[in-house]
Amino acid sequence: NSNSNSNSNSNSNSNNSMVKGIDDDNDPISVGLYVQPVVSLAKLMNGAVGDVQRRMRRRRNLRSLSEEGGNVDLSVVVNVQACPGVVKEGSVFDFNGGIFFNGETKIDFRKFLLEQSINGANALKQVFLVGGETDRRNFWNSVLSNGIDRSDSSCITWIENLIVDYNPDAEVFSIRESEDDVMLLQQQQQQTSMQQTSCALSTIVGLSIMFEVCQIEVAPEIESSNVQASWITQSGVRMKRPWFEKGLTGKGQVVAVSDSGIDVDNCYFYDSRPGFRKNGSTQTSRRKIVQYNAFVDDSDREYGHGTHVCGTIAGHKSVDGINESEGMADGVARDAKIAFFDIGSTRNGSLRLPSNMERLLLTGNSAGARIHSASWGSSSNDYGFNARFFDLFSYENDDFLAVIAAGNNGRSGKNTVGDPATAKNIISVGATQSESPDLTTGQLGKHFMAEFSAEGPTADGRRKPDIVAPGQHILSAGAVPSRTGECDPATYPPPNTRADGVLSMAGTSMATPVVAGTAAQIRQYFMEGWHPKGEKGSGPSIIPSGSLTKAIILNGGQNMTGTQLGGGQTVTGHAYDNKQSFGRISLADSLYIPGFTNVQHVFRDRQEIFNGGKNSLYIEIDKSKDCKARLSATLVWADPPGAVGCKSCLMNDLDLTVERVRLDGRSNITYYPNQRDDRPNVQMKDTRNNAERVQVDADDQEIFGVHVEASNLITSKQKYALVVTGCFGGVPNTIVVDNPGTPGPPTGGGQGLDVGTLGIIVAGGLVGVVLIVLCCFCVSGRTKD
């Protein structure tokens, strides 16, 4: 009973179907095809029943909610996914707040839940609870007798106090306990708590028998999971920050963050001017915090999680709240600003998400925030409701990019990356060790993974995390709410300690803002016209898609040596393994700045491809100026959201290949993406992931073809981003058009980008069919650290 499989072993369009009954008047509102499992309990996500039991049991055994360690919300939240096509005017899910329409009758949803729970109990008795005794029948008999079948009104009261929220875009509604109900459990007897467990399960059963419901999830528990970081990401050379030197500091960018809170008068955020508001309004003129949405409350705990995270992204020291100076804990994008959504309670440290996740993801939208940093997650390895909503939002808003912590359960091995870091269109971030003075005794440094960093794959076999960054340990802003302007101590504090207004912490929570800040720098690079010459204003302003920003980050990832275990021994790492995936983030290997970086780059963004189509470009390698970079090509696309709990979650399958062209009559060699360096003989297409990279050692004057093919789409076309870096010589390179006879869009399907043409988008224009690409010089004699 606690391990019922989700209906999502395949996509929703391949599930069994059932037709709702047609009334006498053939009313179109009550006629429809509903796609759903045959067995009602198969609608429950794997482990849903057990999740309710465990959460209630843990809550019952606590003397106080703060005893849990201050980072877990133990309230029960149930997410319900409507079946495709049932959300329409006049349907059962035509919501208006807590009221919905059933035909033309307005009904309070809580009353409907009570009625539905009774119906579910009756259905359960008629189907499952007949015949001889079994463990399952005994369990559900106990649930009903302690819950909806009780003669007293305990279940009625519990259901009537539920809070119902609806998200029409995702066709999901959420049912959750009120905070008052959760607090009352501290004062109630064990038997009463057991009754509430049974009430919750009775409600879930009632929902599962509805034709209109396809999937039910008990929302997983959400928990929180930079001076050194900045030089590690920018150059890998100690204290060398070329992006800062050139002015690429995140200026003009706003990063949205959802976390426990911010101590806004810490010196890394302090703005001494009056008039700051915490009501969600946008104040773009503020020094650091341009929006504070007080969803749970409006502050952080002492040395809290959110203040530290925001400091790593954009903290910049100001003692007087006006004039800025270099601090020992400045952020990765120290001139960026923050739009904040407070999901943490200062009372008990728990985290709580809004039922309508769009409210969270729109944080800072009016201020220009297109990056969202989320250093929180769950232990569920499935593709859950939160993961699906991140994917849906990214798919519908192509300039948006979410950066999410992978989780800290890596010591337990594989399949420990947690929802929502299991989403497809986000960047899931693992943690590496840092560098001195942020190393503890015996640690080996930035080339080694942190042992706690969560491992992939996801439950459906996709590669996660996507990228890794320094996260053990990171010095950043430390919250001291009782003081104003708390700032740097006299000396740099040791790892995992606190002093005055700074704090050292470790976790993928700390690595995530490093990547989010780097993404802000990349957006600044394109929006200020640094492409293609690596100088500000040398090209047009470009607003990159989230897929392009992600592709640039993944394309430059550097292979990790391995993982250092707790006893000091090491395990060898491999590119694309479950621990590091694309490797450690490296701006030096991602975008061009003359005299500072290792590569030149070519990109194309928002390119369309039709099912069966193929787009190609050919590049000649030029190492005449002692360039030593490998050829690296990365393809990323925002995939349509999958079904919750899916076992094959990729909807649109694109394929990247790189072809070594032989001009001497020998056969060309094809290279496939995401191939483990310890498995050189395994060459195949990737049919699971929507991020693919090929890296090849290339000799001078060799020609390579980079091909993108649309293998299997559920939509008519798909947009993608492609980044290619390597030795392009700093002189114009001719990019040759592939054979125009390659299969393209279906007949009558409309005309997109011609198959086989290379299109590099600059300021929205397609530059030619045969292109002259201005590439840049490699650094003579440069070696990587």
Side-chain angles (χ1 to χ4, degrees), residues 129 205 209 288 326 365 411 561 613 757 769:
L129 303 185
V205 170
I209 69 169
K288 277 293 163 188
E326 186 169 336
N365 185 270
R411 293 185 180 92
T561 302
T757 60
V769 173

Side-chain angles (χ1 to χ4, degrees), residues 540-583:
S541 175
I542 299 168
I543 298 177
S545 69
S547 293
L548 178 60
T549 303
K550 179 178 177 178
I552 288 167
I553 289 173
L554 302 192
N555 191 65
Q558 299 298 292
N559 192 31
M560 300 295 293
T561 302
T563 301
Q564 186 177 17
L565 306 181
Q569 60 269 53
T570 61
V571 176
T572 302
H574 299 281
Y576 313 110
D577 66 21
N578 290 313
K579 197 78 170 179
Q580 65 169 296
S581 194
F582 289 85

Side-chain angles (χ1 to χ4, degrees), residues 21 42 45 52 93 105 121 126 139 230 372 448 469 485 538 541 628:
M45 283 285 289
V52 173
F93 293 126
T105 306
Q126 295 171 18
F139 170 80
S230 62
H372 192 107
F448 286 84
S538 63
S541 175
K628 294 179 171 61

Side-chain angles (χ1 to χ4, degrees), residues 499-520:
D500 294 337
V502 297
L503 168 69
S504 175
M505 297 180 74
T508 57
S509 284
M510 285 61 255
T512 298
V514 172
V515 176
T518 303

Side-chain angles (χ1 to χ4, degrees), residues 275-283 286 289-293:
F276 180 63
R277 299 188 294 270
K278 295 184 178 180
N279 59 2
S281 59
T282 301
Q283 298 176 278
R286 303 300 297 185
I289 313 299
V290 300
Q291 186 183 76
Y292 197 114
N293 193 321

Side-chain angles (χ1 to χ4, degrees), residues 173-237:
F173 64 89
S174 297
I175 306 164
R176 59 184 170 89
E177 298 172 289
S178 69
E179 191 169 338
D180 290 341
D181 276 350
V182 177
M183 295 303 296
L184 280 173
L185 282 178
Q186 305 306 305
Q187 306 165 11
Q188 293 177 329
Q189 299 295 319
Q190 176 172 324
Q191 182 63 29
T192 304
S193 296
M194 291 176 65
Q195 291 171 16
Q196 293 194 337
T197 303
S198 297
C199 289
L201 294 177
S202 298
T203 304
I204 289 173
V205 170
L207 290 166
S208 73
I209 69 169
M210 293 179 65
F211 287 137
E212 297 89 351
V213 168
C214 264
Q215 289 168 316
I216 301 171
E217 173 199 59
V218 176
E221 298 166 10
I222 299 298
E223 52 191 21
S224 53
S225 344
N226 290 310
V227 170
Q228 308 309 320
S230 62
W231 69 256
I232 291 172
T233 59
Q234 289 185 39
S235 70
V237 180

Side-chain angles (χ1 to χ4, degrees), residues 155-414:
C155 250
I156 296 175
T157 303
W158 185 83
I159 291 174
E160 288 179 343
N161 286 335
L162 292 174
I163 297 172
V164 182
D165 294 297
Y166 180 59
N167 183 345
D169 291 332
E171 300 184 346
V172 171
F173 64 89
S174 297
I175 306 164
R176 59 184 170 89
E177 298 172 289
S178 69
E179 191 169 338
D180 290 341
D181 276 350
V182 177
M183 295 303 296
L184 280 173
L185 282 178
Q186 305 306 305
Q187 306 165 11
Q188 293 177 329
Q189 299 295 319
Q190 176 172 324
Q191 182 63 29
T192 304
S193 296
M194 291 176 65
Q195 291 171 16
Q196 293 194 337
T197 303
S198 297
C199 289
L201 294 177
S202 298
T203 304
I204 289 173
V205 170
L207 290 166
S208 73
I209 69 169
M210 293 179 65
F211 287 137
E212 297 89 351
V213 168
C214 264
Q215 289 168 316
I216 301 171
E217 173 199 59
V218 176
E221 298 166 10
I222 299 298
E223 52 191 21
S224 53
S225 344
N226 290 310
V227 170
Q228 308 309 320
S230 62
W231 69 256
I232 291 172
T233 59
Q234 289 185 39
S235 70
V237 180
R238 178 169 292 279
M239 306 309 289
K240 188 68 175 177
R241 302 182 184 88
W243 282 56
F244 279 7
E245 293 173 21
K246 299 290 285 187
L248 286 161
T249 56
K251 188 173 182 179
Q253 299 300 308
V254 178
V255 178
V257 182
S258 50
D259 214 292
S260 64
I262 308 179
D263 183 0
V264 297
D265 59 18
N266 177 285
C267 75
Y268 284 92
F269 314 106
Y270 184 38
D271 188 333
S272 58
R273 295 171 299 164
F276 180 63
R277 299 188 294 270
K278 295 184 178 180
N279 59 2
S281 59
T282 301
Q283 298 176 278
T284 56
S285 64
R286 303 300 297 185
R287 187 178 80 88
K288 277 293 163 188
I289 313 299
V290 300
Q291 186 183 76
Y292 197 114
N293 193 321
F295 171 65
V296 174
D297 58 31
D298 63 358
S299 59
D300 201 6
R301 305 177 95 193
E302 183 169 80
Y303 292 110
H305 190 268
T307 299
H308 188 281
V309 165
C310 291
T312 302
I313 296 173
H316 200 172
K317 178 180 174 181
S318 176
V319 175
D320 62 4
I322 300 174
N323 301 296
E324 295 175 333
S325 59
E326 186 169 336
M328 65 172 57
D330 279 349
V332 172
R334 63 188 183 191
D335 289 331
K337 296 185 179 184
I338 297 291
F340 194 77
F341 193 93
D342 192 322
I343 61 172
S345 169
T346 55
R347 176 174 50 81
N348 59 32
S350 65
L351 302 181
R352 179 166 62 88
L353 301 176
S355 299
N356 186 345
M357 286 288 287
E358 186 174 38
R359 179 181 174 187
L360 181 145
L361 296 182
L362 285 173
T363 300
N365 185 270
S366 60
R370 296 298 183 268
I371 300 164
H372 192 107
S373 183
S375 287
W376 48 265
S378 72
S379 60
S380 171
N381 188 238
D382 288 314
Y383 186 78
F385 275 75
N386 288 333
R388 185 184 187 278
F389 194 79
F390 271 101
D391 278 348
L392 174 64
F393 193 86
S394 300
Y395 183 71
E396 294 180 343
N397 300 271
D398 80 344
D399 58 349
F400 175 82
L401 178 63
V403 185
I404 303 178
N408 298 330
N409 296 321
R411 293 185 180 92
S412 298
K414 295 180 180 180

